[in-house]
Amino acid sequence: MPPTMVEHNGLDMCLNKYCHSSSSSSSSEQDKKIFSKLKLSLSGDYPRKNAEILSGQYGTNLLLIGLALMLAISHHGPSVKEEHLLSFVTCLMILQLIWMMWYILVRERQKNTRTEKDVHATTCWIRGGLTLLALLSLIMDAFRIGYFVGYQSCVSAVLGVYPVIHATHTIAQVHFLWFHIKDVIKSFETFERFGVIHAVFTNLLLWCNGVMSEAEHFLNNHKRRLTALGYGNLTIVHSEPHCNCTTSTCSMFSSSLFYLYPFNVEYHIFVSAMLFVMWKNIGRTIDLSSNRKRLATKTQGLTVGPILGLLALASTIGILVVYVTHVEESLKMRQSAISMFYIYGIVMLVFMCSAGASGLIIYRADHVPLDTSKNPSRQLDTELLFGSSIGSWLMSWCSVVAVLGADSSPPYRWTNLIYSLLIVLEKYIQNLFVVESLYRKQEDGEREDPELPASPEIFSVTSSLAPPYNGIINRTFVTPDRTCSTMENEQEESGQVKGAHKHKEANPEKHCCLLIMCNISLWILPAFGCRPQYDNGLEQETFGFSIWTTVLNFAIPLNLFYRMHSVASLFEVFRRV
C-alpha cells in the first residue's frame, strides 16, 4: 500500500473519531435536556394524578372485596359467614384509627405552621348533625354489645369485638371531622391520599353493611306477611343464634337495632362524602378570593314555610303509625292503609313541586351571574343529588309500567301512578332549584373565614378601607363637581340597598323551609317501615318477586340518602338566601 494512501486513511480515521466525539457530546447534551424536561414534567401534576388513580383503585377494590363477602353471606351458605365480613371491616376500621392518630400527631408537631383551610368543606350545623347521628350509632353499638353478652356462649367473639371497635372508630372519627375535615393537606400528599381514601371506602363499606342488614330485615317481614296472606311458603331466614339467651333483654336489643339502623346508615354515608371532599382538596391551591364564608343573616316574617313544614311533619308521624299498624291486618285494612299513603304522598309532592317552581321563578326574575370558581364540596353536592335520584326514578318508572300493564285493579292503582309520576317531577324541580341556588354568585354579605390569612391591603394601591380620591386627602379642597358626583353615587348606592332589601323580601326562604320539612318527612316514612312498594302487589305481579325485591334493595337506600342529602343542601341554600 502506498504511503500516501496510509496517511490519507489515518487522517480519515482521525476525522471520523473527532466527528464521533462531537456527535456523542451533542447527543449527550440532548439526552440531558430530555432528562431535565422529563424530570420537570414528573415534578408537576403527574405524581398527583398517579396518586389519585392509585388511591382510587385501592379504595374501589376494598369496597369490592366487602361487596363480594356480602353477596356470599346473602346466599346463607356454610363457607362464608357474617363473622368473616365483620372481621374484614374491623381490620379496616383499625387501620383507619391508626392513620387518624398519625395524622393528628403530625398536625400537633406542625401546629406552629399555618394549615390552609377550605371553608366550603363543611359547616358547624352539618358536623353537629353528624354528631347526633354518631350518638345514636353509639347507642346501637351498646345494644350490639348487650346482644353479644346474652349469646356469648354460642356466637363468635367477633360479634363482641366489632361493636367495641366501631364505637371507638365513631368517637375518633367525630373528633377528626370537627377539627381536621377542612384541612388542605400539603405534606406527605401521596401517603395522605391513601389514608383519606381508605377512610372514605371504609365508611362506604359500613354503609353497605347497614343497608344489607336493613334490607334483609324488611324482606323477611315482607315474606312473613305474604305467607300469612296465603301466597305460598317463602323461605324466611332466622338470624337468632341456636342457644338460649342468658339475659332477659336479648329480644329488646334485637328489635331495637332495626330502629337505629337508619341513623347509622346516614351517618356513614355523610362521613364518606365529607372525607371525599377532603381527598379532593389534597394538594389544592386555595383561591382566597372565593374562599369566603357568608355571614349568618336573620330573616324576619318567616312563618308560612315553617308552619306548613311542621304540619307536614306532624302528619307524617300520624301516617306512619296508622300504616305500620294496619298493614299487618286484613286485606281491606291493608288496601286502605296503602291508599292513604299514596294520597298523602300526592298532596306532599304537589306542595313540594309548587315550592320548588316558585323558587325558580323568583330566581328567573333576578338575573344574578353564576359562580364558576372551583369548589369540590359544591360539585360533590350536585353529583350526589343527581346520582342518588336514579334509585327513586327507577322505582317510579317500574311502578308506572306495572300500573299500566297489571291485570288486577286494586283501589290504589291509579293513585300509585300519579304518585310515581310526581316523584319524578318533584326531583327534577328540586334538583334544579338546589343546584341553581348553590351556584348563584354571592355579591355582598360575605367575610373572610377567620382561619384564613387577611388580604394584604397595606401594600395595595387603593385600600378598601378608604374611598377613592383624586390625589386630595382634605375634603375641604375637593372640587364641587367631585362633591356632586360623590353625593349622586351615595344616592345610587342607597337606592341599590333599598332595592336589595326589597329583593331580599322576595327571596325563597319560605320555600326552603317547606322543602326541608317535606324531605325530612319523606325520609322518615320509608326509614321506619312505611314502604308500600313491598305491599301493594302491583310491581311484584309484573316483575316477579326476585327482580322487584332486587330493584327495591337498590333504589330505597339511594332514595333515603337523597332525602337526607337534600335536607343538608336545602339548609345550606336557606343560609345563603
Side-chain angles (χ1 to χ4, degrees):
M1 183 179 294
T4 56
M5 198 68 167
V6 173
E7 291 175 1
H8 179 72
N9 289 338
L11 181 62
D12 286 344
M13 288 174 65
C14 292
L15 289 173
N16 291 334
K17 184 177 180 180
Y18 175 76
C19 294
H20 177 71
S21 62
S22 64
S23 63
S24 63
S25 63
S26 62
S27 63
S28 63
E29 290 178 358
Q30 291 179 356
D31 292 340
K32 288 181 180 179
K33 289 180 179 179
I34 293 173
F35 180 75
S36 62
K37 289 181 179 179
L38 181 62
K39 185 178 179 181
L40 182 63
S41 63
L42 287 176
S43 62
D45 290 336
Y46 286 102
R48 178 180 177 180
K49 293 298 180 184
N50 290 339
E52 287 180 358
I53 294 171
L54 290 173
S55 60
Q57 292 180 127
Y58 163 75
T60 303
N61 280 282
L62 280 184
L63 180 64
L64 293 177
I65 293 171
L67 291 177
L69 291 173
M70 290 180 193
L71 292 174
I73 292 171
S74 63
H75 178 62
H76 301 287
S79 56
V80 180
K81 298 181 180 179
E82 185 183 7
E83 292 81 7
H84 300 104
L85 174 64
L86 294 182
S87 299
F88 177 67
V89 175
T90 301
C91 292
L92 295 183
M93 288 191 292
I94 291 174
L95 286 176
Q96 184 184 343
L97 283 169
I98 294 172
W99 170 75
M100 287 190 296
M101 290 174 62
W102 182 87
Y103 182 87
I104 292 172
L105 290 175
V106 169
R107 284 292 172 267
E108 283 294 324
R109 290 183 178 180
Q110 299 176 350
K111 59 183 178 181
N112 294 328
T113 61
R114 194 176 189 88
T115 305
E116 291 188 32
K117 303 284 185 178
D118 180 11
V119 299
H120 303 292
T122 184
T123 56
C124 290
W125 70 267
I126 289 180
R127 285 176 287 179
L130 283 174
T131 304
L132 178 61
L133 294 174
L135 289 174
L136 295 170
S137 297
L138 291 176
I139 295 174
M140 190 183 74
D141 290 329
F143 285 176
R144 283 180 178 272
I145 295 172
Y147 183 81
F148 168 76
V149 170
Y151 289 107
Q152 60 180 337
S153 61
C154 59
V155 296
S156 173
V158 179
L159 296 179
V161 174
Y162 171 78
V164 175
I165 299 297
H166 185 269
T168 307
H169 175 266
T170 301
I171 296 171
Q173 190 164 245
V174 168
H175 176 272
F176 183 84
L177 293 174
W178 268 101
F179 298 103
H180 299 286
I181 195 62
K182 293 185 178 184
D183 293 354
V184 178
I185 300 173
K186 293 293 182 69
S187 60
F188 306 103
E189 291 185 17
T190 301
F191 178 74
E192 299 291 6
R193 282 190 185 278
F194 279 88
V196 177
I197 207 69
H198 178 89
V200 170
F201 281 93
T202 298
N203 281 277
L204 272 180
L205 198 54
L206 290 167
W207 175 74
C208 292
N209 185 30
V211 166
M212 185 190 72
S213 301
E214 190 181 24
E216 186 176 4
H217 170 70
F218 279 101
L219 185 59
N220 284 335
N221 286 343
H222 178 53
K223 290 179 179 179
R224 193 177 295 109
R225 284 197 293 267
L226 291 178
T227 303
L229 293 172
Y231 286 99
N233 294 323
L234 298 173
T235 304
I236 300 174
V237 179
H238 297 282
S239 58
E240 295 296 329
H242 300 288
C243 63
N244 294 325
C245 180
T246 57
T247 63
S248 59
T249 56
C250 288
S251 59
M252 183 194 72
F253 289 148
S254 178
S255 59
S256 299
L257 283 175
F258 297 103
Y259 292 101
L260 296 172
Y261 265 121
F263 304 106
N264 180 58
V265 166
E266 296 301 328
Y267 163 74
H268 283 297
I269 193 65
F270 265 101
V271 170
S272 61
M274 293 171 64
L275 289 169
F276 183 78
V277 173
M278 186 180 185
W279 181 74
K280 293 292 290 184
N281 277 330
I282 294 177
R284 178 188 166 204
T285 301
I286 298 294
D287 183 9
L288 297 181
S289 62
S290 62
N291 196 37
R292 297 171 182 268
K293 187 184 294 183
R294 185 165 174 82
L295 282 170
T297 56
K298 296 181 180 181
T299 53
Q300 297 178 356
L302 265 176
T303 54
V304 178
I307 288 176
L308 290 177
L310 290 174
L311 182 62
L313 191 61
S315 303
T316 298
I317 304 299
I319 294 292
L320 176 64
V321 173
V322 173
Y323 184 91
V324 171
T325 55
H326 285 74
V327 77
E328 301 282 349
E329 298 179 1
S330 63
L331 178 61
K332 185 176 181 180
M333 296 297 293
R334 184 166 62 91
Q335 288 182 346
S336 63
I338 296 173
S339 299
M340 175 195 64
F341 172 86
Y342 283 128
I343 293 172
Y344 170 77
I346 289 171
V347 174
M348 181 85 72
L349 293 172
V350 167
F351 275 103
M352 294 177 72
C353 290
S354 302
S358 301
L360 287 173
I361 291 173
I362 293 174
Y363 284 158
R364 293 294 182 269
D366 180 28
H367 301 286
V368 175
L370 296 180
D371 183 8
T372 58
S373 61
K374 186 177 181 182
N375 188 337
S377 178
R378 183 176 58 194
Q379 182 181 358
L380 181 64
D381 284 340
T382 304
E383 294 171 353
L384 289 177
L385 279 175
F386 285 110
S388 56
S389 300
I390 295 174
S392 57
W393 282 341
L394 173 62
M395 189 166 56
S396 297
W397 288 120
C398 287
S399 297
V400 170
V401 171
V403 169
L404 296 177
D407 294 330
S408 60
S409 184
Y412 47 79
R413 178 177 181 177
W414 301 112
T415 52
N416 185 6
L417 175 66
I418 299 172
Y419 174 81
S420 301
L421 293 175
L422 283 174
I423 283 285
V424 177
L425 179 62
E426 181 266 331
K427 290 193 174 180
Y428 261 101
I429 296 175
Q430 182 169 276
N431 290 344
L432 184 60
F433 173 70
V434 172
V435 171
E436 185 164 341
S437 301
L438 294 177
Y439 275 86
R440 285 169 67 85
K441 184 172 289 186
Q442 302 296 311
E443 296 181 349
D444 55 359
E446 291 180 341
R447 63 173 174 86
E448 291 188 0
D449 189 74
E451 296 173 345
L452 295 173
S455 300
E457 292 183 345
I458 297 175
F459 302 99
S460 63
V461 178
T462 58
S463 175
S464 62
L465 299 177
Y469 55 89
N470 292 336
I472 302 172
I473 299 177
N474 194 342
R475 286 184 176 269
T476 309
F477 298 98
V478 178
T479 59
D481 294 337
R482 178 66 182 169
T483 307
C484 294
S485 63
T486 305
M487 292 177 63
E488 290 176 359
N489 291 335
E490 290 177 356
Q491 290 175 359
E492 289 178 359
E493 290 176 359
S494 63
Q496 289 176 358
V497 171
K498 291 179 181 178
H501 286 300
K502 184 183 294 184
H503 167 68
K504 194 172 183 180
E505 294 176 358
N507 272 339
E509 300 98 338
K510 301 173 183 178
H511 308 83
C512 288
C513 290
L514 178 61
L515 289 173
I516 288 171
M517 294 295 185
C518 289
N519 277 279
I520 292 175
S521 300
L522 293 180
W523 177 82
I524 289 175
L525 288 173
F528 293 97
C530 192
R531 301 182 179 184
Q533 297 85 2
Y534 276 106
D535 303 315
N536 60 34
L538 289 172
E539 293 87 357
Q540 187 172 322
E541 178 184 340
T542 304
F543 299 100
F545 179 80
S546 59
I547 293 178
W548 182 236
T549 52
T550 302
V551 171
L552 292 180
N553 291 338
F554 166 77
I556 290 179
L558 287 179
N559 182 45
L560 290 172
F561 171 70
Y562 174 84
R563 293 301 174 189
M564 190 57 69
H565 185 66
S566 297
V567 170
S569 300
L570 286 165
F571 194 84
E572 189 64 26
V573 171
F574 175 76
R575 294 176 70 247
R576 289 166 65 90
V577 301

